[in-house]
Amino acid sequence: VQLQASGGGLVQPGGSLRLSCTVSGVTVSSRTMTWFRQAPEKEREFVAIFVWAGNTYYSDSVKGRFTISRDNAKNTVYLQMNDLEPEDTAVYYCGTHLSGPYYETAGYDNWGQGTLVTVSS
């Protein structure tokens, strides 16, 4: 199983970015897919989840600004990020959830390599 995250970059506060997580070796429709992020000197934290059945959940810090979606035909999961804030600066990782609480990194069996998002003027 391989996950390839892309779409990061430098954006001004209030701007938007769309991250992609292209998956091979497993179909995204059969797995619960999640985005985490890790800011400098901080632990990796949960951002958004697309449960295999179709439910989505978000952290309080991004609710209303970020949207997670899935394209089964492209076997890709997206994270649309709007109204970005400097506090959103981090490396963003996608992962496949295996077991346990979805907000804990220990429950994931595959991770992408991460894509850097920098929000700065």
Side-chain angles (χ1 to χ4, degrees):
V1 178
Q2 290 190 327
L3 286 69
Q4 180 72 38
S6 61
L10 174 64
V11 63
Q12 292 186 341
S16 298
L17 280 176
R18 189 179 77 158
L19 306 184
S20 300
C21 177
T22 302
V23 181
S24 60
V26 68
T27 56
V28 295
S29 59
S30 67
R31 297 296 303 271
T32 291
M33 302 295 301
T34 308
W35 285 96
F36 278 71
R37 67 186 180 186
Q38 187 165 16
E41 301 182 357
K42 292 189 176 181
E43 293 187 352
R44 195 172 295 192
E45 65 172 4
F46 165 77
V47 175
I49 186 169
F50 199 112
V51 181
W52 65 271
N55 314 65
T56 59
Y57 301 98
Y58 301 89
S59 68
D60 288 342
S61 61
V62 308
K63 196 176 299 182
R65 300 187 297 122
F66 291 12
T67 302
I68 189 170
S69 61
R70 183 178 72 188
D71 187 329
N72 294 339
K74 295 184 178 180
N75 216 37
T76 298
V77 176
Y78 302 98
L79 185 68
Q80 176 67 43
M81 306 185 295
N82 299 328
D83 194 20
L84 283 161
E85 304 169 351
E87 293 74 24
D88 297 317
T89 295
V91 177
Y92 284 71
Y93 298 90
C94 55
T96 53
H97 181 254
L98 182 62
S99 64
Y102 60 81
Y103 48 84
E104 293 185 358
T105 58
Y108 289 76
D109 56 347
N110 298 288
W111 292 99
Q113 84 289 1
T115 184
L116 176 63
V117 172
T118 303
V119 184
S120 175
S121 56

